[in-house]
Amino acid sequence: MTRIIADISVSLDGFVTGPDAGPDNGLGTGGRPIHAWAFSDDPDDARIMRESTERSGAVILGRNLFDVVDGPQGWNDEVGYGAREAGRPAFFVVTSTPPASVRLTDLDWTFVTTGLPDAIAAARPHAEKAGGDVVLMGGGRLIGSALAAGLLDTLVLHLSPVVLGSGTSLFLSGPTRQLTQRSTVVTSTATHLTYDVG
C-alpha cells in the first residue's frame, strides 16, 4: 500500500534551513551542514539515501523549494533528487502560481494550485504505478503543515548535529501528534529517525 512519507533533514533546534534561504542560497546562511549526511561516504548514510530515493514513487515539494532546485545553483547532472542518487520520480509542486518557465525540463513536473491534499491525491496514482510511496521532500513549512493536518503516515528525520539558531522552522503550531518511533540509525553525520504518525 502506498504511504505518505515526509523525509527531511533538520538541525538539532528544528530548522531545515539557516536564515536568509532563497533560490541563490538554498540552505540559508550556515545551513549546509544539515545535508552533510546526504553526501557522506558512511555506508549507513549511503544506504539510507539509496533506499529513500528508491521508495519515491512520486515526490511533493513546495514552491520555495522548487525555486531552489530549479534555480541556477540547484540540481544538475551530478546532484539531483536523492543527492548523488539522482532519482527521477514524478514531481508535484504545491504553489499558488506556476512558474513562467522551468530549467529542469527533463524531469516530470506537475504544478498543483489547489493545495497539499490535492497534490497528494494527484501524486498517489503515480506512486502506485511506480510501486513506491508519495514522499514529501520539503520545504519545512509544507511538511510541518502536513503533519499538523494529519496527512502523513510516516515522518523520517535526518537529525544533523548542528544548532542554527534561526531559519526555516520545521514544526508549526498545531494539534498534539503522538508518533511511534520505528527506527533509529546513528552515523557520524546524522541520527536518522523514522516515526509512524498516529
Side-chain angles (χ1 to χ4, degrees):
M1 179 174 170
T2 299
R3 296 172 299 160
I4 310 303
I5 300 174
D7 189 319
I8 194 163
S9 299
V10 61
S11 69
L12 289 175
D13 52 346
F15 295 102
V16 297
T17 75
D20 305 316
D24 294 327
N25 190 22
L27 294 174
T29 303
R32 188 166 295 278
I34 295 173
H35 288 278
W37 75 271
F39 300 95
S40 165
D41 292 329
D42 182 290
D44 284 328
D45 286 330
R47 176 186 54 77
I48 288 166
M49 178 58 74
R50 184 177 57 256
E51 290 172 356
S52 176
T53 304
E54 288 172 353
R55 78 166 172 249
S56 301
V59 173
I60 298 175
L61 62 156
R63 176 60 188 269
N64 289 342
L65 182 53
F66 168 80
D67 287 343
V68 171
V69 301
D70 194 56
Q73 306 299 317
W75 291 346
N76 56 43
D77 290 339
E78 284 127 30
V79 177
Y81 180 72
R84 294 177 288 206
E85 295 292 321
R88 300 179 74 79
F91 293 95
F92 295 81
V93 181
V94 180
T95 180
S96 58
T97 308
S101 63
V102 174
R103 179 179 65 87
L104 299 170
T105 56
D106 58 328
L107 297 177
D108 179 6
W109 298 104
T110 299
F111 297 93
V112 180
T113 59
T114 52
L116 180 55
D118 287 344
I120 291 172
R124 191 182 295 272
H126 290 266
E128 289 172 353
K129 183 176 180 182
D133 295 313
V134 175
V135 176
L136 279 64
M137 69 175 278
R141 289 186 185 102
L142 181 88
I143 289 177
S145 64
L147 180 64
L151 299 175
L152 300 178
D153 298 313
T154 304
L155 175 64
V156 179
L157 299 177
H158 309 284
L159 187 63
S160 296
V162 61
V163 175
L164 294 176
S166 64
T168 305
S169 180
L170 175 58
F171 299 108
L172 306 170
S173 60
T176 300
R177 293 273 175 218
Q178 181 63 47
L179 308 181
T180 303
Q181 190 162 333
R182 188 167 17 127
S183 70
T184 303
V185 177
V186 179
T187 70
S188 62
T189 58
T191 301
H192 305 279
L193 303 162
T194 302
Y195 298 94
D196 292 327
V197 180

